[in-house]
Amino acid sequence: MTATCTITDWVCLACGTLCDDLTLTLDPSGPIAQLEPDCGPARLWWERVAQTASGPVAAVNGQPTSFQTALDCAAERIRAARSPRLVGLDATSLEGQRAAVALAERIGAVIDSGSAEARARLAAMARVGRCSATFGEVHARADQILIWACDPTTTHPRFLTRFVDPPGRFAVAPRNVIVVGSTPNATSARASLCLSVRPEQRIAALATLLALLRCAPIRSEQVAATTGQTLDAWTTLADALRRARYGVVVTDSTLDDPVEYEALLRLVRALNQRPDGRFVHLSLGLPGNAAGAEAVLGWQAGYAPDVTFAAGYPAMGVPDLEHDLTIELGSAFNLNRAPAAAVATIRIAPDATVTPPEPAVAIASSALGISESGTVIRSDGLALPVLSVVPSSRPSVAAILRELLQRLPDAAEQGTSP
Amino acid sequence: MSGRLWVIRGGRVIDPANGVDEVRDIWIDADRIVAPPADPESRPARLLDARGAVVMPGGIDVHCHIAGPKVNAARLMQPEISREAPPRPRRAGFRSGTGGVVPTSFTTGYRYAGLGYTFACDAAIAPLAARQAHHELADTPVIDKAFLILLGNDHFALERIGQGRASALRDYLAWMLGATRGYGVKVVNPGGIERWKQAQGTTSSLDDPVPGFDVTPRAILTEIARAVDELGLPHPVHIHGLNLGLPGNAASTLELMKALDGHRAHLAHIQFHSYAGDPSDQESMASGVEPLADYVNAHDHLSLDVGQILFGPTTSMTADSAVAEYLHRLTGRKWLSHDVELETGCGVVPIEYRHTQFIHALQWAIGLEWFLRVNDPWKLALSTDHPNGGSYLAYPRIIGWLMSRALRDEVWAALPAPARSRSALADLDREYTLAEIAIITRAAPARMLGLADRGHLGPGARADVTIYRDDPDRVRMFELPRWVIKSGQIVIDDSELRAAPDGLTLHNAPAHDDAIIPEIRDHFDRHASIRFAHFPLRSEEAP
Amino acid sequence: MNTPRKLGETIVLDSFAEAFPMAAARLVITADSVRWAETAARVMTGYATSVIGCDLEAGAIERLEPDATPDGRPGVSVLAFAFSRGALEKALVNRVGQCVMTCPTTAVYNGLPLGDQPINVGGRLRYFGDGYQISKRLHGRRYWRIPVMDGEFTCEECFGTTRGVAGGNLLLLGSDRAALLAAAEAAVFAARLVPGVLLPFPGGVARSGSKVGSKYRSLRASTNTAYAPTLRGLVPSELPEGVDCVYEIVIDGLTLEAVERATALGLRAAAQPGVAYLSAGNYGGRLGPYHIRLHDVLNRFPE
Amino acid sequence: MSLRLIWRDATRLPVDGGRLRPDGLADLAPAEAAAVRLPVGNGEVSLGDLFAVSGLDAPPGTLRIEGDLRGVARVGQGMGSGHLIVSGNLGSDVGSEMTGGRIDVYGNVGPWAAAEMRGGLIHVHGHAGDRLGSARPGSRLGMRDGIVLVDGDAGACVGQSMRRGLIAVGGAIGPAAGHAMIAGSLFVFGSAGMHPGLGMRRGTLLFGTGIDPALLLPTFVPSGHDRPPFLAVYLRELAALGFKPAGRRTPRLRRYNGDLSIGGQGEILVAVE
């Protein structure tokens, strides 16, 4: 690049809001010159991921090597593996995920793609279902926003400013924002009602709200003891929820208890029993394409977020089983992801060759959202096209996986199916 | 040319579109059916001996739900189905998958092919879900596909209809089809979903207002039908009407049929819209098919698919989120609901149809009444509204009931007496011929969808051919085709899947006046949560 | 009558009791104290002397130690006989519902093996719970817990039934009513030592022996004219000279053997001075399949 | 003929032990049993490679397994008859969907033991993991019948959506015990985790040695004290089955009704003496 370059409608993968309306101006040397509207996490993400473009294209045992040699080496290790595991599906595009699931199927791998939130949400959804909506419905209709145990102002900086602050087609501003959780936080500062509740008190709080909606006779002293708030406080909140024409409960990826999740989804469902009001739940997603991983696994395997192909067909996966090989996608992609517990045997990522710990086989890919195009899915189910904005000679994750798949012919698979 | 030319020899060819029902050869060149070579001595590259077998065009499903976030949500909400149905292990050249009533995408393609079907039309994709749907359909092998986009509650469309701007509506539909790579236009509970999303109940009559929009269901239906006609789309507007599943809805269905006079229209899963009785009293339900069928018999602007139900567990999935909520309240089962901005809703509820249950028994009879009361089979297509009424895998059983009164009677006898007193099914003696089955499973759906080169075996047709053993057990015959040929390639041989080529996803992109685009862009900028630039599919996204 | 046999001074006629099968059940009633368990049992077995005029023949109340009851509380067992399982079920549902459920602290359990043809008692009483009844199932047995004002009434759902034997009987004939009654009481005491037998009449003794039919069409049975001393001369009498009083002891049992053993014990205990004859009632062998011959049981069940 | 399998500790990779159940295995000759294939990771190996196989002098239908099999899942899954005796730990899904027979584990078992169990008896003499006797993802019903005894502790969501049967835990139980229970009995004789009985529709959750009532959700309302006779029936049965923690004396109980948040009519019984 020789001059600054400006990209409009850039899709940012730094947080689960997956904003697609950013204007990005890049210095000739690479870093962000200007971001409009500005956003801290977006800048941080860009810097973290974009800087990885400098390492070698591939490495085996830490020694730089060619792409082809690394692929051969990876294939050899995969062939030898008896319990391979694939992680990091959220760090690649729908195209990459489709290839990754195909690979996992061919090699009989276990896919651990789930965040604790995804596991909790899908488990709860499988029990009670879920009432949800796209972000735009919140913008258009929501009059009551219940922020449940999260702080989108900090973690998803533009969620509220894009979809809640401005008036919508059927909703006037300001909308009523209620915060329940470990407050005060940046979001509670703007709430009309704010109930401070410790994490272990939230299930009791949800039970209390559900009981109030049913007008059940509950014990006020026990409410206070188990929820940390008075029955009056919860009654006030329940009344506000009851008044909602179109209410929204917002949670984020820290909601990871399937029991609490189920109670929350039951509350939303109960609020839909009112004849004159609707209620939906919105989960602010993780960075990247975690929702895409759920979708691809759903249509290719029938289960998400964890799937095992060990038996030659998809079955619901059990996380944290013993394995003898890990294929990791996109290690630096997610700002929040804890480093993998074990060293990856094969890592396919923009920073595969530069970020420790050093894997046996590292293959550097282009970076989705920077130097790679593809499709991603937002946590509300809307699919977005992501375009490469900085050209790169490196292959995409999907291309690398397809190359790998070619080195692992079908015939090698006999005998694993029952 | 003759090097690739091959022949299906000596089968009984049933090709109603070309008026053929006789033993003859079918010649195939690459992916097309061709006229027999002029030289009687010309030797085919391959000869498929179909003597004694029945040769038909590949089956065509005009209405099913096999792609998009709604189907996927049904999978993820019901891991128990995937777990309990036998899985499909992978083998060389084929992908693995799970089964049940909402199988995985690969399994869906393989199973359609295994049933002798070569084309399926997903009837309800939200425009904002089109991008994902194309990915799923790309992973649905063997068969060719198309999908219809949901526009009956689309804000931009509703506004234009309210403003009386027919040409703007037309341009919007055309642009939308191009942007989503959709095949046709679907209207689900026009205006009713929007009203439900506003928590004002759904619409129950054609003239109920849609708050916030200066329209009624009647206006939405007729204007979209008009626009689709004027655009010359191959498939007429595809309609899921009002009051689905409610006793007494036959009256509004008749109103709807009359309102569409002068337009082409396809009425989907008509079984669910044909009930007499009082909406507030489930027990009052009765068949309301007869007057509706009389209307259809007397008019030529309508086509139908039936939406037959089967007894057993299945999954209800619909864009009509009001219906899903109703089902949830009725059954108490888990309920998925997802509101899609600007466009539509979506609801998924597990359901089990039981032959001992009055309503379900009646629904079964009402579906069959439709098949037997519409005189001209060209007006009607076989469907289960997969998976709403049951899986498409049940088509052979339905064919059995249509071809044999005795098979119907077996089921009928086991139904509860109150249900039998509310349907005249037992008075209907009609039995379908093989040619009529060929019409409702391939020739008619092809014609309804405007697929000129499908649903028949004349020269120029796509070489999608299904060859059945002429088995007196018609259910078994249609369950296990002897051969299935997709685009000239044998994909099923000896009832086994032998090849799984990728299928096409068809779409229509009619011309439109670009002047509409700034208006659409402005609409997006004000109301959508994604940028206008990210809405239309790029060409590489849906080849 | 041939070859009379004597027990002491008493002549045991070579007669036989004609017994017939009846459906039988055994209930275990527990309570916080044995007193309340007994109270329930007594009330429940009231008006249960003969299925000629009652829905049930019931009684034989036996105390059970806490260790011998399902819930570890003091209790009693009760036997109940009726013409059919259906009749038994109906009668028990009514009686348990009216007499045990109402009685403080009680619970009712099945006291026989469940078998393959049990009757349903708790399952019919459960509706009293008005939707708040709770079912508990353990090892194939179901218990219904019905909320009542002192806590909950527990009633097992199913009760095993057995093909019991009813209609075993003894007749004591003599002239001294007081001596005869004393002998009858002794016979009752002795017969009741046999487990699984029920002597359903008051104190185990009946004075109104009956015959089948009546001059009144609506009556199924009427007084046993042949054994009524005051009718001698008016009707054909079965009473020997000098007999002015007859008492009958009716014996039901869970098994034929129990009835026979009780008959033998009763005979021996009844053979006291003042009892001229011991006999048994029958219908000439036409009605019941079991013939309990007095001489035979005396032989088979020696002292 | 009965069988004895001794774990060779030959692999740490996940083993699908679904074929390790007495019905189907115990009546095989040792050599036949050794040839049975077991899925390990993405492949299969012979049972004989994983276990030393020998005959066993025991009643017919007895399968005895020895060793630390914590990486082996689904042992006894779906079993319908026989006696499985395990000396050592097992992985997940022990005895899930089981319909009959008896399993004794002298060790610990992983999560999902007795999941959707339909009959029979499992006695875990050590500890059990999460979701003991619970419903599988998406299923409407958890344990449907049978008896599960755990001498030690058990994890989270024990008895989730349980429909019938008895689970007795001698030690402490994790959070959300009896979650969304539909019916059945869950007896605990140690301490309770958070939110016992959440979403209970019916059924009995007993804390036989008492817990701090402050633990209970506000949507359970006290309904007095009682010593219900049925409980004595159960305790005697447990004692007869060799489950020691229960004791023979029926404690006096405080009863709580709920979960009112879903209109439930379940009961939590808490011993008060």
Side-chain angles (χ1 to χ4, degrees):
Chain A
M1 269 177 284
T2 53
T4 59
C5 114
T6 297
I7 298 126
T8 54
D9 294 338
W10 180 59
V11 179
C12 169
L13 304 173
C15 85
T17 315
L18 251 55
C19 292
D20 67 337
D21 61 345
L22 294 164
T23 300
L24 184 65
T25 306
L26 297 177
D27 279 344
S29 56
I32 294 179
Q34 205 190 347
L35 187 61
E36 179 58 37
D38 202 4
C39 175
R43 275 179 184 274
L44 192 64
W45 184 87
W46 177 278
E47 280 155 23
R48 168 92 72 92
V49 181
Q51 71 172 10
T52 62
S54 55
V57 293
V60 172
N61 296 325
Q63 299 303 308
T65 184
S66 75
F67 181 61
Q68 299 297 334
T69 307
L71 279 170
D72 290 342
C73 203
E76 194 178 318
R77 282 172 178 273
I78 288 172
R79 271 192 294 272
R82 292 282 64 91
S83 183
R85 182 174 76 135
L86 181 79
V87 299
L89 222 51
D90 60 330
T92 183
S93 63
L94 226 47
E95 293 80 356
Q97 290 164 342
R98 285 168 63 191
V101 178
L103 176 74
E105 181 196 88
R106 184 157 308 171
I107 68 177
V110 173
I111 297 178
D112 282 0
S113 82
S115 63
E117 187 272 343
R119 291 184 183 121
R121 172 168 37 78
L122 289 164
M125 183 174 113
R127 290 175 54 78
V128 298
R130 179 171 173 238
C131 299
S132 57
T134 64
F135 293 167
E137 289 290 32
V138 176
H139 171 62
R141 302 179 197 273
D143 54 356
Q144 298 278 356
I145 320 276
L146 171 58
I147 308 284
W148 187 263
C150 60
D151 182 17
T153 310
T154 306
T155 60
H156 295 70
R158 295 193 60 234
F159 175 74
L160 294 173
T161 55
R162 283 180 74 195
F163 305 121
V164 174
D165 293 345
R169 180 166 195 149
F170 305 101
V172 294
R175 315 174 198 230
N176 193 29
V177 174
I178 301 167
V179 175
V180 173
S182 307
T183 58
N185 60 27
T187 309
S188 65
R190 44 171 297 169
S192 69
L193 175 64
C194 172
L195 297 181
S196 226
V197 172
R198 292 198 309 273
E200 70 275 14
Q201 295 173 322
R202 297 202 301 250
I203 287 178
L206 289 166
T208 301
L209 285 170
L210 263 168
L212 286 170
L213 290 179
R214 309 181 66 95
C215 302
I218 54 172
R219 297 185 288 159
S220 60
E221 73 287 359
Q222 193 72 354
V223 168
T226 55
T227 69
Q229 293 286 341
T230 63
L231 182 55
D232 283 349
W234 293 116
T235 307
T236 306
L237 173 54
D239 288 344
L241 301 181
R242 264 199 203 99
R243 279 196 304 273
R245 187 93 185 185
Y246 197 98
V248 186
V249 182
V250 178
T251 62
D252 75 0
S253 60
T254 59
L255 182 60
D256 58 4
D257 174 357
V259 173
E260 180 182 353
Y261 225 123
E262 180 174 332
L264 186 91
L265 296 185
R266 282 183 191 274
L267 175 69
V268 173
R269 197 168 81 172
L271 284 161
N272 278 306
Q273 299 289 326
R274 300 169 305 139
D276 55 351
R278 298 220 60 241
F279 232 100
V280 296
H281 166 246
L282 216 62
S283 166
L284 299 175
L286 286 166
N289 194 19
E294 284 175 27
V296 171
L297 285 168
W299 83 65
Q300 290 207 358
Y303 305 103
D306 305 308
V307 179
T308 173
F309 287 97
Y313 54 82
M316 191 169 269
V318 179
D320 308 324
L321 288 181
E322 287 284 335
H323 51 87
D324 57 3
L325 179 142
T326 297
I327 305 167
E328 185 188 14
L329 308 179
S331 48
F333 196 79
N334 182 335
L335 296 178
N336 305 325
R337 190 196 293 163
V343 178
T345 323
I346 299 166
R347 184 187 293 153
I348 300 166
D351 65 333
T353 55
V354 293
T355 301
E358 180 181 281
V361 180
I363 302 173
S365 69
S366 49
L368 183 66
I370 297 177
S371 54
E372 181 181 320
S373 300
T375 308
V376 297
I377 298 186
R378 221 162 58 178
S379 66
D380 64 347
L382 292 196
L384 288 166
V386 175
L387 293 176
S388 161
V389 294
V390 180
S392 162
S393 58
R394 291 177 173 183
S396 68
V397 170
I400 295 167
L401 291 170
R402 282 194 289 265
E403 285 278 342
L404 253 182
L405 204 55
Q406 293 217 323
R407 285 167 166 76
L408 299 161
D410 256 345
E413 273 302 304
Q414 298 306 323
T416 59
S417 22
Chain B
M1 164 182 156
S2 59
R4 299 182 301 175
L5 201 61
W6 63 284
V7 68
I8 300 166
R9 174 141 296 163
R12 174 182 165 194
V13 174
I14 301 182
D15 180 12
N18 294 307
V20 172
D21 184 351
E22 64 186 28
V23 172
R24 64 155 75 173
D25 298 344
I26 297 287
W27 288 80
I28 294 173
D29 182 12
D31 64 349
R32 296 284 156 178
I33 289 168
V34 293
D39 174 6
E41 295 300 303
S42 108
R43 293 177 58 83
R46 174 175 188 173
L47 185 148
L48 196 152
D49 182 357
R51 283 175 300 176
V54 173
V55 180
M56 290 190 190
I60 293 177
D61 200 336
V62 69
H63 186 110
C64 61
H65 300 274
I66 56 170
K70 169 173 84 249
V71 181
N72 226 16
R75 294 183 185 109
L76 295 182
M77 184 174 75
Q78 304 175 99
E80 69 276 18
I81 296 183
S82 304
R83 190 171 60 239
E84 283 158 18
R88 182 180 201 94
R90 71 169 298 275
R91 55 191 177 97
F94 304 97
R95 296 289 300 272
S96 68
T98 54
V101 288
V102 195
T104 46
S105 63
F106 295 103
T107 307
T108 297
Y110 300 152
R111 281 185 173 178
Y112 259 122
L115 200 63
Y117 272 63
T118 52
F119 187 92
C121 176
D122 187 294
I125 299 292
L128 279 164
R131 181 168 274 116
Q132 179 180 333
H134 278 287
H135 276 276
E136 291 189 46
L137 291 177
D139 279 347
T140 307
V142 192
I143 57 171
D144 294 333
K145 289 107 4 187
F147 62 71
L148 309 179
I149 53 170
L150 294 160
L151 289 166
N153 290 273
D154 183 284
H155 289 177
F156 190 90
L158 263 50
E159 285 171 1
R160 300 309 169 281
I161 293 166
Q163 294 156 0
R165 294 174 57 201
S167 67
L169 175 69
R170 199 167 57 234
D171 286 333
Y172 179 62
L173 298 195
W175 173 84
M176 190 54 111
L177 284 170
T180 59
R181 304 294 193 277
Y183 185 82
V185 175
K186 172 83 174 294
V187 171
V188 173
N189 188 359
I193 299 168
E194 173 56 33
R195 208 172 129 133
W196 181 83
K197 290 202 285 191
Q198 295 180 24
Q200 305 198 37
T202 182
T203 48
S204 55
S205 106
L206 280 182
D207 299 308
D208 281 347
V210 181
F213 299 86
D214 194 12
V215 294
T216 59
R218 181 188 303 277
I220 298 169
L221 280 168
T222 52
E223 290 309 308
I224 291 183
R226 183 196 318 280
V228 168
D229 281 349
E230 288 171 358
L231 286 169
L233 292 179
H235 184 48
V237 60
H238 193 110
I239 297 167
H240 154 147
L242 287 63
N243 302 316
L244 183 143
L246 294 181
N249 63 11
S252 59
T253 301
L254 188 61
E255 282 301 300
L256 185 147
M257 288 175 167
K258 289 177 180 165
L260 289 163
D261 198 5
H263 306 287
R264 296 180 305 151
H266 179 86
L267 304 188
H269 40 69
I270 192 72
Q271 178 275 126
F272 288 111
H273 301 271
S274 313
Y275 310 146
D278 170 0
S280 62
D281 178 12
Q282 286 267 319
E283 297 305 308
S284 71
M285 189 165 133
S287 169
V289 176
E290 196 169 4
L292 296 177
D294 288 347
Y295 185 89
V296 171
N297 285 331
H299 296 79
D300 286 327
H301 59 290
L302 299 174
S303 62
L304 317 166
D305 66 84
V306 171
Q308 177 65 35
I309 70 142
L310 282 295
F311 299 122
T314 188
T315 302
S316 170
M317 55 173 74
T318 175
D320 195 341
S321 34
V323 163
E325 183 186 26
Y326 171 77
L327 277 177
H328 158 65
R329 291 193 189 192
L330 212 60
T331 62
R333 302 286 297 272
K334 51 191 167 186
W335 169 40
L336 185 132
S337 175
H338 189 66
D339 296 344
V340 181
E341 63 201 64
L342 310 183
E343 293 172 354
T344 184
C346 148
V348 185
V349 178
I351 187 166
E352 179 166 8
Y353 291 105
R354 298 170 195 272
H355 78 274
T356 49
Q357 220 268 16
F358 164 70
I359 304 277
H360 301 164
L362 198 48
Q363 287 177 310
W364 177 84
I366 286 170
L368 290 181
E369 269 195 55
W370 267 109
F371 284 107
L372 302 176
R373 285 188 188 277
V374 171
N375 300 328
D376 177 2
W378 285 96
K379 290 181 174 176
L380 181 139
L382 173 64
S383 80
T384 55
D385 186 12
H386 164 87
N388 284 291
S391 166
Y392 57 81
L393 291 179
Y395 290 174
R397 281 163 62 201
I398 300 170
I399 290 170
W401 292 324
L402 297 180
M403 295 190 73
S404 160
R405 178 170 175 140
L407 288 179
R408 293 202 288 275
D409 286 347
E410 272 177 32
V411 179
W412 177 257
L415 301 184
R420 284 184 282 149
S421 72
R422 307 285 180 87
S423 160
L425 178 65
D427 301 339
L428 303 172
D429 289 323
R430 181 172 167 193
E431 292 184 336
Y432 270 57
T433 63
L434 274 180
E436 285 176 319
I437 294 296
I439 293 170
I440 65 168
T441 55
R442 39 268 285 169
R447 189 176 287 181
M448 291 168 192
L449 286 165
L451 298 165
D453 61 350
R454 294 165 194 266
H456 72 95
L457 297 173
R462 187 164 284 274
D464 294 350
V465 187
T466 304
I467 304 169
Y468 301 99
R469 295 178 184 86
D470 191 1
D471 188 334
D473 180 340
R474 297 305 192 194
V475 178
R476 193 168 57 194
M477 165 174 166
F478 282 97
E479 264 171 359
L480 293 170
R482 174 67 180 81
W483 291 279
V484 179
I485 294 146
K486 176 74 198 71
S487 298
Q489 183 180 3
I490 295 178
V491 292
I492 298 282
D493 186 353
D494 204 9
S495 311
E496 284 280 318
L497 188 63
R498 299 300 166 97
D502 289 338
L504 305 168
T505 299
L506 307 189
H507 63 267
N508 287 298
H512 57 84
D513 183 347
D514 280 347
I516 196 70
I517 290 176
E519 238 181 281
I520 304 172
R521 181 191 304 273
D522 176 61
H523 175 73
F524 260 80
D525 287 349
R526 282 190 295 131
H527 300 302
S529 69
I530 70 169
R531 299 290 288 172
F532 175 75
H534 295 140
F535 181 80
L537 272 68
R538 303 187 308 280
S539 55
E540 68 270 25
E541 290 188 275
Chain C
M1 286 183 206
N2 43 26
T3 50
R5 175 169 172 170
K6 290 189 87 169
L7 284 173
E9 296 299 305
T10 308
I11 297 168
V12 182
L13 299 175
D14 183 17
S15 180
F16 66 92
E18 191 174 347
F20 44 88
M22 284 232 275
R26 181 168 179 266
L27 284 68
V28 174
I29 300 174
T30 65
D32 281 358
S33 70
V34 73
R35 203 155 59 85
W36 283 111
E38 266 177 354
T39 301
R42 271 203 308 276
V43 178
M44 197 211 108
T45 56
Y47 180 50
T49 50
S50 165
V51 290
I52 293 172
C54 309
D55 56 356
L56 205 63
E57 296 179 8
I61 298 167
E62 254 184 73
R63 286 198 185 194
L64 298 171
E65 291 303 310
D67 267 354
T69 65
D71 64 16
R73 298 190 298 167
V76 297
S77 69
V78 169
L79 297 182
F81 292 76
F83 272 131
S84 64
R85 277 199 320 280
L88 188 63
E89 176 176 298
K90 194 172 168 204
L92 285 177
V93 168
N94 287 335
R95 286 166 178 266
V96 171
Q98 288 304 302
C99 311
V100 188
M101 184 162 72
T102 55
C103 179
T105 75
T106 57
V108 190
Y109 306 95
N110 169 35
L112 287 180
L114 263 185
D116 48 2
Q117 293 187 310
I119 56 173
N120 186 344
V121 178
R124 308 222 184 274
L125 291 172
R126 72 175 198 258
Y127 300 105
F128 186 75
D130 200 25
Y132 298 97
Q133 66 273 23
I134 297 170
S135 145
K136 286 283 152 193
R137 221 173 79 152
L138 186 64
H139 272 168
R141 296 173 77 149
R142 191 193 290 274
Y143 305 88
W144 285 100
R145 301 166 52 202
I146 298 167
V148 288
M149 295 192 298
D150 75 348
E152 55 189 36
F153 169 56
T154 303
C155 182
E156 200 164 337
E157 174 167 279
C158 289
F159 285 72
T161 60
T162 187
R163 197 172 140 103
V165 172
N169 66 79
L170 284 180
L171 292 169
L172 287 70
L173 290 70
S175 56
D176 177 346
R177 190 157 80 191
L180 202 62
L181 189 53
E185 286 178 48
V188 166
F189 182 84
R192 280 183 171 162
L193 292 176
V194 179
V197 303
L198 163 68
L199 278 51
F201 283 97
V205 185
R207 69 155 177 203
S208 62
S210 61
K211 69 172 185 295
V212 177
S214 157
K215 69 188 282 190
Y216 306 106
R217 255 188 299 174
S218 63
L219 225 52
R220 284 197 294 153
S222 57
T223 190
N224 198 348
T225 47
Y227 283 81
T230 57
L231 298 184
R232 268 191 284 221
L234 301 180
V235 297
S237 180
E238 290 284 331
L239 298 179
E241 271 310 294
V243 170
D244 290 325
C245 180
V246 180
Y247 285 121
E248 182 174 4
I249 294 170
V250 171
I251 305 171
D252 299 341
L254 294 178
T255 62
L256 177 62
E257 199 238 338
V259 177
E260 290 171 334
R261 185 184 295 274
T263 306
L265 287 177
L267 282 171
R268 291 206 166 84
Q272 293 187 16
V275 179
Y277 302 96
L278 288 167
S279 183
N282 59 60
Y283 307 94
R286 294 187 308 275
L287 270 178
Y290 311 120
H291 298 168
I292 300 164
R293 305 205 73 89
L294 301 185
H295 290 182
D296 174 50
V297 298
L298 283 173
N299 292 339
R300 281 171 49 217
F301 302 100
E303 249 170 293
Chain D
M1 187 70 198
S2 292
L3 269 190
R4 181 179 186 195
L5 311 179
I6 301 173
W7 179 240
R8 297 184 192 276
D9 218 358
T11 182
R12 296 188 59 190
L13 298 181
V15 177
D16 180 347
R19 287 172 201 165
L20 300 177
R21 43 188 269 194
D23 45 347
L25 204 59
D27 47 353
L28 297 182
E32 291 174 310
V36 166
R37 305 283 287 170
L38 289 184
V40 177
N42 61 7
E44 281 186 354
V45 301
S46 295
L47 191 149
D49 293 341
L50 298 175
F51 296 93
V53 186
S54 58
L56 178 70
D57 183 18
T62 305
L63 175 65
R64 192 177 177 94
I65 303 178
E66 295 165 29
D68 187 354
L69 282 72
R70 70 186 68 193
V72 183
R74 289 194 261 278
V75 174
Q77 182 172 51
M79 133 178 184
S81 63
H83 191 182
L84 172 64
I85 305 163
V86 181
S87 305
N89 304 319
L90 293 174
S92 67
D93 303 90
V94 174
S96 55
E97 287 95 16
M98 165 176 178
T99 60
R102 178 181 176 119
I103 300 178
D104 276 284
V105 183
Y106 296 89
N108 306 329
V109 300
W112 299 105
E116 299 189 14
M117 178 176 180
R118 287 148 168 88
L121 185 141
I122 301 176
H123 193 158
V124 178
H125 298 264
H127 305 301
D130 294 344
R131 297 184 184 274
L132 173 73
S134 104
R136 298 238 180 241
S139 289
R140 277 200 286 177
L141 305 182
M143 182 166 165
R144 296 150 204 211
D145 211 344
I147 297 178
V148 178
L149 311 173
V150 179
D151 291 347
D153 303 337
C157 287
V158 171
Q160 185 176 52
S161 294
M162 177 174 183
R163 173 69 183 77
R164 193 180 289 141
L166 168 64
I167 300 175
V169 177
I173 198 158
H179 181 231
M181 247 175 116
I182 298 163
S185 305
L186 172 53
F187 291 2
V188 182
F189 297 93
S191 62
M194 300 281 287
H195 315 120
L198 176 72
M200 239 177 133
R201 241 189 299 157
R202 278 177 172 266
T204 303
L205 182 46
L206 167 80
F207 290 100
T209 55
I211 51 165
D212 178 1
L215 253 175
L216 296 179
L217 289 164
T219 50
F220 280 84
V221 294
S223 63
H225 295 79
D226 196 7
R227 214 189 294 264
F230 92 93
L231 187 57
V233 176
Y234 271 61
L235 293 181
R236 290 159 83 88
E237 183 65 38
L238 284 172
L241 290 169
F243 182 72
K244 294 183 188 73
R248 275 182 67 86
R249 226 183 126 268
T250 314
R252 179 171 156 82
L253 302 165
R254 185 157 198 207
R255 182 185 154 123
Y256 297 83
N257 288 327
D259 178 344
L260 300 187
S261 75
I262 60 129
Q265 296 177 22
E267 58 182 354
I268 296 182
L269 306 175
V270 180
V272 291
E273 57 186 46

